[in-house]
Amino acid sequence: MRRKETKERILEVALELFSERAYDNVSMEEIAKKVGLSKGGLFYHFSSKYELAKEALFYGFDQWAKTIFPKILSAKSPEDKFKALVDYSFEFILNNPKLSRFFLEVYEESIKHGNELEQWKGFYEEYLELFDSIFEELGVLNPRVRAILFGALLDGLTIHYLMAGEYFDIRDLKKEILEIFLTGRKA
Amino acid sequence: MRRKETKERILEVALELFSERAYDNVSMEEIAKKVGLSKGGLFYHFSSKYELAKEALFYGFDQWAKTIFPKILSAKSPEDKFKALVDYSFEFILNNPKLSRFFLEVYEESIKHGNELEQWKGFYEEYLELFDSIFEELGVLNPRVRAILFGALLDGLTIHYLMAGEYFDIRDLKKEILEIFLTGRKA
Amino acid sequence: MRRKETKERILEVALELFSERAYDNVSMEEIAKKVGLSKGGLFYHFSSKYELAKEALFYGFDQWAKTIFPKILSAKSPEDKFKALVDYSFEFILNNPKLSRFFLEVYEESIKHGNELEQWKGFYEEYLELFDSIFEELGVLNPRVRAILFGALLDGLTIHYLMAGEYFDIRDLKKEILEIFLTGRKA
Amino acid sequence: MRRKETKERILEVALELFSERAYDNVSMEEIAKKVGLSKGGLFYHFSSKYELAKEALFYGFDQWAKTIFPKILSAKSPEDKFKALVDYSFEFILNNPKLSRFFLEVYEESIKHGNELEQWKGFYEEYLELFDSIFEELGVLNPRVRAILFGALLDGLTIHYLMAGEYFDIRDLKKEILEIFLTGRKA
DNA sequence: AATGAATGAGGCTTCATTCAT
DNA sequence: CATGAATGAAGCCTCATTCAT
């Protein structure tokens, strides 16, 4: 109806639903209904549920990266960059608590579907690189390794936040993260 | 070999399958077949798929806790305890890469099913306590907060290991974890 | 409901419908309804539509072979055998005009489905052999080649009968077949 | 290159696809793509899939008749005509093995669609006539009946060729056909 | 304690067809 | 003439669950 934007509307709705509930618990029917489209219409734009999920994920990731990366990188000092990174990450976790689970699901689905694994590595590396570069600026000895840990921590927190959010005092967690991840730097 | 034992065999098989594939990707049929039982038989022992999954999860968790906790706690120094904790955790991650995902799934399923959320908190606390106590012995200032971070890191690593295991150098990761998590202790 | 016989009832209904309409024009829904079973029930007995069609075809073929072969072979002279063969074949064509089309369809479906082509050759040979042996008894010089022609002719007649049955004078056709196929025999 | 030509291009593509795969296994989408047209464009030229299939079939038949009939009829002796008929028929079978199946499908479809059965009889008669006239020239006693048999044999061979082509020795088959169909002629 | 048969709901996908532009 | 978007119906199949035996 409204030309080009239909596809984007679908992606938004899909991202929203997939981030709320598990891949298998969101039906094409439901997405279609929420977009205001027939099921067939969905398949006109995306060749399969998996394809839609994948594109929705990429769409969400792109949005996130485009918004957040520049803000982080524009901070003055390395320390401020890391602080900004932590701040934005927590904001993201709080707002998209199920996104990393969705990520995993789509990834697993991709394995079933003949997979284009390269794309996934690309993602992983892209955001690892951001962490890596910051840790390097900070003078951390093994920036890469610490970047991996930091990335894992974020996803782990996302998941635990879902299940035990009441235990979380965000302020305390942030402070503690700053403390332990800024440890052991070159003189 | 009857009575109780059938139930246990079911739990073992279920745990294995659920830990390998997602909740929705394991059918009762498949579990039954692998146990050597009919689908009907399964339902004699467990009232629903969800119930089976939950009990399988608890069963697995118990086994893990019973095996690992004593080993960790029997280490001499606090430092050795933490090292042991890290060692066993990595061993576990490598052997049960999908267990934490399964955990999350059952948790979410429990929300649909009228949920007994208390039980879940219990779990979370039980293993948080272990970490907490160790960090306390180590003289960490905010042992609880650090315990939360450590728990989250483990689950995060599990997930990332699934998706980007090639990037992982286990030895390096362990060393780095030891470095950052033993930081900032009382004099 | 009625134990074992359900499967056979399904086969009968399926054979009937598939012989009436094309493979793609018969739905599982319809078969189920006519059997008095739910769609799910069908899938309990047959793992897929193709599998059901294949078994239905085999079922039909078996019935035909079991009924007809002995009658043909019990005729006294070779000439009478051939006459009996022609008679029964026409009877069959008139009663099951779409069976050979169904045969072809299932065969083509089998190609899509990773195919067990050996089974099909088996069929073809089984009934070729019958023709072959009769032509041999009749002293035909190339019994095998003539058997192939005869088999093809039968299927061709079946199809043409569907489309232009009014042109067919069965009696004339039989007589002509007897004439041309008994030609050119050893002295 | 427009107007009429698009329509002809569609017919050619459709004929090709329909002759390769079954009616139900060729989608309008696929035809459109291969023609280099949108689905909508197809429907501009043909009011329905059935209509397209029917016209494609007629188109193919016309082409065949226009090319082959004259060649056959220009042979010197009746025997040579029949030989030419057999030769061209086999060539056609080998090149268009699924055409007769397509024919049947469109015919059946025509029954669903309120049908113009007369047209079909026309076809049947047109090519029966060719055979008929040749058999008459050859002095066969019941040329019409033999023509029916010959037509049926060709279609039967086409089908069997699809399923058991390895059993076919074309040369042998031709020789045998010549033998049996030239039998029983007026002195 | 267990089986086998069956149900019923829901899911993904395909596709001919329509129609505004 | 042709496109692109969308519909709606139908189809195959999966699966947790039930229940008579």
Side-chain angles (χ1 to χ4, degrees):
Chain A
M1 299 182 164
R2 247 158 263 128
R3 298 289 99 153
K4 302 292 146 54
E5 309 112 37
T6 301
K7 198 161 184 170
E8 210 159 320
R9 244 166 53 237
I10 297 175
L11 287 174
E12 266 154 18
V13 167
L15 182 59
E16 187 188 334
L17 291 175
F18 282 132
S19 300
E20 240 166 46
R21 241 151 333 114
Y23 179 81
D24 283 308
N25 292 329
V26 176
S27 71
M28 292 300 266
E29 173 80 34
E30 190 185 357
I31 296 172
K33 208 164 273 171
K34 191 154 185 180
V35 175
L37 207 62
S38 70
K39 250 189 305 184
L42 237 54
F43 281 92
Y44 175 75
H45 292 284
F46 300 94
S47 62
S48 70
K49 184 184 184 181
Y50 162 65
E51 213 64 35
L52 168 53
K54 202 180 61 183
E55 294 209 22
L57 183 65
F58 291 177
Y59 177 80
F61 188 80
D62 271 8
Q63 282 193 325
W64 182 72
K66 259 177 226 143
T67 319
I68 304 308
F69 276 36
K71 287 193 191 168
I72 291 170
L73 294 174
S74 67
K76 309 278 155 43
S77 68
E79 280 80 6
D80 282 350
K81 280 184 191 166
F82 188 64
K83 265 188 93 167
L85 172 61
V86 171
D87 280 339
Y88 284 119
S89 298
F90 267 89
E91 194 188 312
F92 189 73
I93 289 174
L94 269 42
N95 289 327
N96 305 275
K98 300 213 181 171
L99 195 66
S100 85
R101 201 258 332 255
F102 175 42
F103 198 103
L104 180 58
E105 284 179 334
V106 180
Y107 174 75
E108 292 186 342
E109 211 65 21
S110 92
I111 292 171
K112 292 192 216 158
H113 285 251
N115 62 27
E116 48 280 279
L117 293 191
E118 291 320 305
Q119 227 165 354
W120 299 98
K121 310 293 173 203
F123 268 114
Y124 187 64
E125 281 187 58
E126 186 175 347
Y127 93 128
L128 217 59
E129 216 110 278
L130 173 69
F131 305 159
D132 193 341
S133 70
I134 293 176
F135 285 123
E136 192 151 3
E137 278 190 65
L138 283 165
V140 163
L141 287 170
N142 299 302
R144 182 91 185 166
V145 179
R146 197 161 292 189
I148 290 177
L149 291 183
F150 184 74
L153 176 62
L154 288 184
D155 273 354
L157 282 171
T158 307
I159 288 176
H160 283 201
Y161 179 68
L162 276 177
M163 292 175 47
E166 326 83 279
Y167 291 95
F168 282 33
D169 177 316
I170 306 298
R171 200 173 302 238
D172 283 353
L173 287 173
K174 283 188 192 174
K175 220 192 309 175
E176 190 76 7
I177 289 177
L178 288 178
E179 174 165 357
I180 69 177
F181 275 91
L182 293 183
T183 251
R185 297 149 66 187
K186 290 168 202 157
Chain B
M1 55 172 93
R2 52 207 62 85
R3 303 292 111 131
K4 308 278 162 54
E5 309 192 1
T6 298
K7 203 160 180 172
E8 209 161 319
R9 243 169 50 238
I10 297 174
L11 287 174
E12 264 154 20
V13 167
L15 181 60
E16 187 188 335
L17 292 175
F18 282 132
S19 303
E20 240 164 45
R21 242 150 335 106
Y23 179 80
D24 282 305
N25 292 330
V26 176
S27 69
M28 293 300 266
E29 175 77 34
E30 191 183 358
I31 296 171
K33 203 165 276 167
K34 191 154 185 180
V35 174
L37 206 62
S38 72
K39 255 195 295 187
L42 237 54
F43 279 89
Y44 175 80
H45 291 284
F46 299 92
S47 63
S48 73
K49 184 184 186 183
Y50 162 63
E51 214 64 36
L52 169 54
K54 203 180 58 183
E55 294 209 22
L57 183 66
F58 291 176
Y59 177 80
F61 189 79
D62 272 6
Q63 281 196 325
W64 182 71
K66 259 178 226 144
T67 319
I68 303 308
F69 277 35
K71 288 194 191 167
I72 291 169
L73 295 174
S74 67
K76 307 279 156 44
S77 68
E79 280 81 4
D80 282 351
K81 281 186 193 166
F82 188 64
K83 266 188 93 170
L85 173 61
V86 170
D87 281 340
Y88 284 120
S89 298
F90 267 90
E91 193 188 315
F92 190 73
I93 288 173
L94 269 43
N95 289 327
N96 305 276
K98 299 211 182 172
L99 194 66
S100 84
R101 202 253 334 250
F102 175 44
F103 197 101
L104 182 57
E105 285 177 333
V106 180
Y107 173 75
E108 292 185 342
E109 212 66 21
S110 90
I111 292 170
K112 288 194 221 159
H113 283 252
N115 62 32
E116 46 282 279
L117 294 191
E118 290 321 306
Q119 224 163 355
W120 298 99
K121 311 294 173 199
F123 266 116
Y124 188 62
E125 280 186 58
E126 187 174 345
Y127 94 125
L128 216 58
E129 215 109 277
L130 173 68
F131 305 159
D132 193 343
S133 70
I134 294 176
F135 284 125
E136 192 151 3
E137 277 191 65
L138 283 166
V140 164
L141 287 171
N142 298 301
R144 182 87 186 171
V145 179
R146 199 163 289 188
I148 290 177
L149 291 183
F150 184 73
L153 177 62
L154 288 185
D155 272 356
L157 281 171
T158 306
I159 288 177
H160 284 201
Y161 179 68
L162 277 176
M163 292 177 47
E166 326 84 279
Y167 291 95
F168 281 33
D169 178 316
I170 306 296
R171 200 172 301 239
D172 283 354
L173 287 174
K174 282 186 190 176
K175 219 193 307 175
E176 191 78 5
I177 289 176
L178 288 177
E179 174 163 359
I180 70 177
F181 274 90
L182 293 183
T183 246
R185 297 149 65 188
K186 289 169 203 157
Chain C
M1 301 183 163
R2 248 157 263 130
R3 299 289 100 148
K4 304 292 144 58
E5 310 112 38
T6 301
K7 197 161 183 171
E8 210 160 321
R9 244 168 51 238
I10 297 174
L11 286 174
E12 266 154 18
V13 167
L15 182 59
E16 187 188 335
L17 291 175
F18 282 131
S19 301
E20 238 166 46
R21 237 142 348 102
Y23 179 80
D24 283 308
N25 292 329
V26 176
S27 71
M28 292 299 267
E29 175 78 34
E30 189 185 0
I31 297 172
K33 208 164 273 170
K34 192 154 185 180
V35 175
L37 206 61
S38 70
K39 249 189 304 184
L42 238 55
F43 282 94
Y44 176 75
H45 291 284
F46 301 93
S47 61
S48 69
K49 183 184 184 180
Y50 161 64
E51 213 64 34
L52 169 54
K54 202 180 59 182
E55 294 209 22
L57 183 66
F58 290 178
Y59 177 81
F61 188 80
D62 271 8
Q63 281 194 326
W64 182 71
K66 259 177 226 143
T67 319
I68 304 308
F69 276 36
K71 287 193 191 169
I72 291 170
L73 294 174
S74 67
K76 307 279 154 44
S77 68
E79 281 81 5
D80 283 350
K81 280 185 193 166
F82 188 65
K83 266 188 94 170
L85 172 61
V86 171
D87 280 339
Y88 284 119
S89 297
F90 268 88
E91 193 188 313
F92 190 73
I93 287 173
L94 269 42
N95 289 327
N96 306 273
K98 300 213 181 170
L99 196 67
S100 85
R101 202 258 331 254
F102 176 42
F103 199 102
L104 180 59
E105 284 178 334
V106 180
Y107 173 75
E108 291 186 342
E109 211 66 22
S110 92
I111 291 171
K112 291 192 216 158
H113 284 251
N115 61 29
E116 47 280 280
L117 294 190
E118 291 320 305
Q119 224 165 354
W120 298 98
K121 312 291 173 205
F123 268 112
Y124 187 63
E125 281 186 58
E126 186 175 345
Y127 95 126
L128 217 57
E129 216 111 276
L130 173 69
F131 305 159
D132 193 342
S133 70
I134 293 176
F135 284 124
E136 192 152 5
E137 279 190 65
L138 283 165
V140 164
L141 286 171
N142 299 300
R144 181 91 186 167
V145 179
R146 198 161 292 189
I148 289 176
L149 291 183
F150 184 73
L153 177 61
L154 288 185
D155 272 354
L157 282 170
T158 307
I159 287 175
H160 284 201
Y161 178 68
L162 275 177
M163 294 176 44
E166 325 83 277
Y167 292 93
F168 281 33
D169 177 316
I170 306 298
R171 200 172 302 239
D172 284 353
L173 287 173
K174 284 187 190 174
K175 220 191 310 173
E176 190 77 6
I177 289 176
L178 289 177
E179 173 163 1
I180 70 177
F181 275 91
L182 292 182
T183 251
R185 296 149 64 186
K186 289 169 202 156
Chain D
M1 52 170 93
R2 55 208 61 86
R3 302 293 111 126
K4 306 276 162 53
E5 309 194 2
T6 298
K7 202 160 180 170
E8 208 159 321
R9 242 169 51 238
I10 296 174
L11 287 174
E12 264 155 19
V13 167
L15 180 60
E16 187 188 335
L17 291 175
F18 282 132
S19 302
E20 242 165 43
R21 242 149 335 107
Y23 179 79
D24 282 304
N25 293 329
V26 176
S27 69
M28 293 299 267
E29 175 77 34
E30 191 183 357
I31 296 172
K33 204 166 277 169
K34 191 154 184 180
V35 174
L37 206 62
S38 72
K39 255 197 293 189
L42 236 55
F43 279 90
Y44 176 79
H45 291 283
F46 299 93
S47 65
S48 73
K49 184 183 185 182
Y50 161 64
E51 213 64 34
L52 168 54
K54 202 179 58 183
E55 295 208 22
L57 184 65
F58 291 176
Y59 177 81
F61 188 80
D62 272 8
Q63 281 196 326
W64 182 72
K66 260 177 226 143
T67 319
I68 304 308
F69 277 34
K71 287 193 190 166
I72 291 170
L73 294 174
S74 69
K76 309 279 158 41
S77 68
E79 280 81 5
D80 282 350
K81 281 186 191 165
F82 188 65
K83 266 188 94 168
L85 172 61
V86 171
D87 281 339
Y88 283 119
S89 297
F90 267 89
E91 192 187 314
F92 190 73
I93 288 173
L94 269 42
N95 289 327
N96 306 276
K98 300 211 180 173
L99 195 66
S100 85
R101 202 255 331 251
F102 175 43
F103 197 101
L104 181 58
E105 286 177 333
V106 181
Y107 174 74
E108 292 186 340
E109 211 67 21
S110 90
I111 293 171
K112 289 194 220 160
H113 284 251
N115 63 31
E116 47 280 279
L117 294 190
E118 290 321 304
Q119 222 163 357
W120 298 99
K121 311 294 174 202
F123 266 115
Y124 188 63
E125 281 186 58
E126 186 174 347
Y127 94 125
L128 217 59
E129 216 110 277
L130 172 70
F131 305 159
D132 193 343
S133 72
I134 294 177
F135 284 124
E136 192 151 4
E137 279 191 63
L138 284 166
V140 164
L141 287 170
N142 298 301
R144 182 86 185 171
V145 178
R146 198 161 291 191
I148 289 177
L149 291 183
F150 183 74
L153 177 61
L154 288 185
D155 271 355
L157 282 171
T158 307
I159 288 177
H160 284 201
Y161 179 68
L162 277 178
M163 292 176 46
E166 326 83 277
Y167 291 95
F168 281 34
D169 177 317
I170 306 297
R171 200 173 302 238
D172 283 353
L173 287 173
K174 284 186 188 175
K175 221 193 305 177
E176 191 77 7
I177 289 175
L178 289 177
E179 174 165 358
I180 70 179
F181 275 91
L182 294 182
T183 247
R185 297 149 65 187
K186 290 168 202 157

